[in-house]
Amino acid sequence: MKKHNFSAGPCVLPQEVFLKASEAIMDFNESGLSLIEISHRSKDFVEVMEKARSLALELLGLEGKGYSALFLQGGASMQFLMTAYNLLENKAGYLNTGTWSEKAIKEAKMFGDIMEVGSSKDENFNYIPKGYAIPEGLDYLHLTSNNTIFGTQIKKFPKTNVPLVCDMSSDIFSRQLDFTQFDLIYAGAQKNMGPAGTTLVVVKDDILGKVSRKIPSMLDYQVHISKDSMFNTPPVFAVYTSMLTLEWLKDLGGIAAIEEINEKKAQLLYSEIDLNPVFQGFAKKEDRSNMNATFNLADDRLKETFDALWKEAGINGINGHRSVGGYRASMYNALSLESVGVLVDVMSEMERKG
Ligand SMILES: *Cc1c(COP(=O)(O)O)cnc(C)c1O
């Protein structure tokens, strides 16, 4: 039986995407060949790459607005250094909202001065800093829109003239935003878009080419753009499966439609966390994430009972990250409202038992 998969990543994908992806492994487009044995320069695969890139821009509302979409390798972690390599000449600002921001800061420090404009480290990253000053003259400001580990999410982005770079690995395509406010967005596929192995980068063309250092080809966005994201062999399976997920999202009604469902899922779970005395939320209410809900048991002695109950209900992947402990339920796009209902039922059963 299919599990209710709340894993933080790699994540649940739509069942029909799994089906189509597995068919393509056996016989791609009735060609008598597998997707993973054909040339990436073949017409069939070039079409996949073009479709994936254009769907990404279309869904974000960025088509024809001077942006390019790339499907690169190396994960979001590679983007921690690639963004700085391509954009950091002197000084950049970073908002430190957790583990992933800290890793981005560590890499960027190798390329220039890094200023932490704000940090929520003082409270183990359970909130999003607000009201911080953004100095003029920064090469860019780097934000992490959704903090996968701590379960916080930026609801309001700063208004600034400084170019915005945003790690959207765990909430891209989950909610409507004015994406034109960002100059560079990156997202590892495996949180909300596809399998591991590719990273979506959406970059405004006119912010590139401004740093004085030489950039190795594989790390140069302009090289990848000039080669239509095919500078070298792309991760064909990850790109194809991401394309299928983006098609699924478009057919569903795009980001507006999924946002509504994501709101319902989050409301259902958070109202249980708030009302059920057996559980306590981790993230501050106004900043909590619609993608990753972090919570704890009020009494740790109930752990064994709770763990047995959710496992029995066919739930997978709600153990918290080791740096937070407790539980984390990730509710990415493909997780159904019904699955959240199953978790909530288990939580209310805990209350009856307690
Ligand atoms: C998972 C994650 C990363 C790291 O992604 P990789 O693809 O494993 O390098 C970076 N940022 C955020 C917000 C994440 O959730």
Side-chain angles (χ1 to χ4, degrees):
M1 203 193 75
K2 177 70 185 171
K3 293 254 171 92
H4 302 286
N5 190 8
F6 289 83
S7 170
C11 71
V12 57
L13 293 173
Q15 207 57 20
E16 64 182 80
V17 167
F18 288 137
L19 189 67
K20 285 184 186 164
S22 59
E23 282 168 7
I25 290 290
M26 295 316 297
D27 185 0
F28 182 49
N29 287 354
E30 294 173 7
S31 61
L33 293 164
S34 167
L35 167 73
I36 56 173
E37 67 178 336
I38 60 168
S39 164
H40 59 289
R41 307 277 173 206
S42 65
K43 184 172 160 287
D44 279 0
F45 187 76
V46 170
E47 275 173 15
V48 168
M49 180 59 98
E50 282 317 300
K51 186 103 196 264
R53 295 176 72 205
S54 67
L55 273 172
L57 291 179
E58 183 187 337
L59 287 163
L60 298 172
L62 293 176
E63 250 182 345
K65 296 193 174 151
Y67 288 81
S68 298
L70 301 170
F71 283 86
L72 304 180
Q73 301 193 58
S77 300
M78 182 68 95
Q79 295 311 309
F80 297 160
L81 69 102
M82 235 171 122
T83 46
Y85 219 134
N86 283 262
L87 303 174
L88 178 51
E89 182 74 12
N90 298 307
K91 189 170 184 171
Y94 278 68
L95 186 65
N96 184 2
T97 52
T99 311
W100 298 117
S101 309
E102 289 191 322
K103 291 191 179 195
I105 291 167
K106 177 169 179 249
E107 299 304 305
K109 278 185 173 162
M110 297 189 208
F111 302 95
D113 283 345
I114 298 304
M115 176 186 175
E116 262 187 47
V117 297
S119 169
S120 47
K121 200 185 175 94
D122 56 344
E123 292 186 42
N124 197 22
F125 303 112
N126 72 350
Y127 70 101
I128 301 287
K130 291 166 204 85
Y132 49 89
I134 303 165
E136 289 291 312
L138 294 177
D139 293 327
Y140 61 86
L141 174 66
H142 181 284
L143 305 166
T144 310
S145 56
N146 185 71
N147 298 283
T148 326
I149 293 174
F150 301 93
T152 62
Q153 188 173 34
I154 299 179
K155 307 287 173 179
K156 237 180 123 191
F157 290 86
K159 293 256 174 295
T160 169
N161 297 326
V162 168
L164 282 185
V165 171
C166 193
D167 176 359
M168 290 196 190
S169 292
S170 51
D171 69 352
I172 192 152
F173 302 120
S174 74
R175 57 172 170 166
Q176 290 179 286
L177 291 173
D178 173 11
F179 292 98
T180 61
Q181 69 190 299
F182 304 101
D183 297 85
L184 191 148
I185 297 166
Y186 63 90
Q190 73 276 13
K191 301 279 167 50
N192 207 22
M193 184 172 61
T198 192
T199 304
L200 173 64
V201 175
V202 175
V203 56
K204 202 168 186 181
D205 301 324
D206 66 16
I207 65 159
L208 299 174
K210 293 184 179 166
V211 291
S212 52
R213 73 174 65 84
K214 288 197 172 127
I215 306 174
S217 309
M218 271 296 280
L219 298 178
D220 187 340
Y221 293 124
Q222 286 183 314
V223 169
H224 290 286
I225 292 170
S226 73
K227 299 291 180 189
D228 297 328
S229 203
M230 294 264 236
F231 172 67
N232 69 327
T233 318
V236 295
F237 182 73
V239 174
Y240 180 68
T241 310
S242 298
M243 184 208 78
L244 292 175
T245 312
L246 297 178
E247 276 183 333
W248 166 84
L249 180 56
K250 187 181 169 182
D251 291 346
L252 203 79
I255 296 180
I258 203 76
E259 180 177 34
E260 221 173 284
I261 302 170
N262 288 335
E263 286 281 345
K264 281 194 191 133
K265 291 186 290 186
Q267 271 171 25
L268 180 61
L269 181 56
Y270 282 124
S271 63
E272 182 65 25
I273 291 172
D274 290 342
L275 296 173
N276 186 332
V278 174
F279 298 95
Q280 285 170 343
F282 171 78
K284 291 238 169 90
K285 274 188 193 177
E286 77 245 33
D287 298 325
R288 57 196 182 184
S289 163
N290 279 1
M291 293 282 100
N292 316 92
T294 43
F295 56 97
N296 293 283
L297 283 164
D299 179 351
D300 267 339
R301 285 173 302 185
L302 295 173
K303 184 171 163 48
E304 218 171 296
T305 316
F306 181 50
D307 288 355
L309 272 183
W310 60 259
K311 281 174 194 162
E312 205 177 295
I315 286 168
N316 174 66
I318 65 164
N319 282 317
H321 189 271
R322 59 190 178 281
S323 55
V324 181
Y327 298 92
R328 169 176 54 169
S330 299
M331 300 175 282
Y332 297 122
N333 284 355
L335 185 87
S336 67
L337 184 61
E338 184 216 331
S339 290
V340 179
V342 171
L343 174 58
V344 165
D345 286 346
V346 169
M347 292 168 80
S348 22
E349 197 177 333
M350 284 299 291
E351 186 179 3
R352 282 194 297 278
K353 285 191 178 213

